[in-house]
Every structure is written in structure tokens, then in C-alpha cells.
Amino acid sequence: MTPSPQPRRLLRATGALVPLALLVACGGKPAGAAADGPPTTARFSENGVTVALSVSDWQPSKRTGTLTAVFAPEAAGFHLYSTALPPTGIEGVGRPTAVAVTGTLAADGPLTAAQPVRPIRVPGVDSPVPVYPDGPVTTTLPVRASGSGDGSGDGATVLIGYASCSTRDGCTIPVSDHPVRLRVTDGVPAFVTPCPRPPPERASKVSACRASWSWKTTPASVSH
């Protein structure tokens, strides 16, 4: 069974596949570093995928580094779509795996993925749809900081997008431009730890939560 090409079918997902967004460790420490990867400095889960972000190989003199985003479907058998997919997919099928930066960080090269792309055929769609193999996908984006780096600017925002799909269980609702904040202070990028996104019935309390935010940050790794 392959995913239906109808957009409304693509957007359908069960409650198990579409949990509310949850940012981990509000005001606390991030998850520990993976044994074979860069240290995790920010993490969130939304619509069946957990995304771990880090900045590594930071060179203060050049103000450059590498932003890594690991997209991990939370259920077996789910794949993500190519970074080269058009923003609205191919004939409405799929959404690109996307990492962009705004503010005091800018892309210093193209977004690349460690996993190979494989084409799949979807009934009713003329062109093949490029996807990654089932499971996690690691992307890297070279970045460069602008401004004085003294923390006096507005900081930067990482914008994350993706959609996951399974040939057996269907597809989750796509995520578009999910923001993750960071700042470059004393020449080193650091992620800002916000409060978790509240459920709809508690949305009125978000202002109180935001009032308690502090600039608690987790510095990125630095190359000397």
C-alpha cells in the first residue's frame, strides 16, 4: 500500500501519530550527547517526529559553524521527504525536510542530508517522489553569524519543516516553520530554552509562562 496522493488524505492522522508539540526540559538541561554525534542542544517533538538540534565546529574568529538537525520518526516504518522536494510537494504529495535560519544567523552553504534519496511511486502521481529510507535523517547546514555577537541583537531563529509517512499507517500532519530560538553571545551560539507549547484549553496561560522565561542557554561546541 502506498500513500494516497489526495492532500486531505495526506493530512489525516490518528491521535497516536499527531501528539501535541512538546519542548523538552523547560528551563533545564538538554538531553545528553549521543555517543557518535554532536551534543544535543535543543530538542522538540511534534506530529510523530522528534528533532534534535546542535551547533558544532564553531569558529569564533570566523563566526561560522555547522547546524545539525536530526529528524527521528517516533514510529517504525515512517520515512521523511527529500530536502529538494518543492515546498508543496509533488502534486500535493509530501513536504520537504527543511532547516532555515533567520536573524543574526545566515546559511553559509546548502542544506545536505547524510541519508541517500530513493524515489517511490505513488498511484495517481506522474513523477516519482523522493524520500529517505525509513528512520532517522541527519541534515547539516553551514551557518555564519552577523552582528556584534555581544548578545545585544534580536538573536536568531531556526525554522524547521518536515512531514513523515508510512506505506502501512498513512501520514502525519506536516510541520512548517517550527521556530527554535538561539542567540550568539560572546561569539558563541546558544539555544534558548522556552516553555512548552500549551494545549488549546490552556492557551490563555501562555503569557504568564512567557513572563517567566529567562535566557537560560546551552552553549554550542567550539573549535579552537
Side-chain angles (χ1 to χ4, degrees), residues 63-205:
R63 298 172 61 77
T64 61
T66 300
L67 173 63
T68 298
V70 180
F71 299 79
E74 295 168 353
F78 278 78
H79 60 254
L80 294 157
Y81 294 87
S82 168
T83 60
L85 200 71
T88 57
I90 295 180
E91 298 180 36
V93 174
R95 292 295 185 272
T97 301
V99 179
V101 288
T102 64
T104 55
L105 277 185
D108 201 33
L111 177 68
T112 59
Q115 284 68 28
V117 171
R118 62 183 180 90
I120 61 172
R121 288 285 181 177
V122 177
V125 178
D126 294 333
S127 300
V129 180
V131 303
Y132 297 110
D134 293 354
V137 174
T138 300
T139 64
T140 54
L141 180 70
V143 294
R144 179 182 296 275
S146 61
S148 63
D150 61 1
S152 60
D154 292 332
T157 302
V158 182
L159 299 174
I160 301 295
Y162 56 85
S164 64
C165 203
S166 165
T167 57
R168 182 190 65 187
D169 298 320
C171 302
T172 62
I173 295 175
V175 172
S176 178
D177 292 341
H178 181 114
V180 179
R181 291 267 298 157
L182 55 80
R183 304 186 82 183
V184 179
T185 304
D186 297 327
V188 180
F191 286 89
V192 176
T193 305
C195 296
R197 183 182 301 178
E201 64 273 14
R202 299 184 63 189
S204 61
K205 298 183 179 180

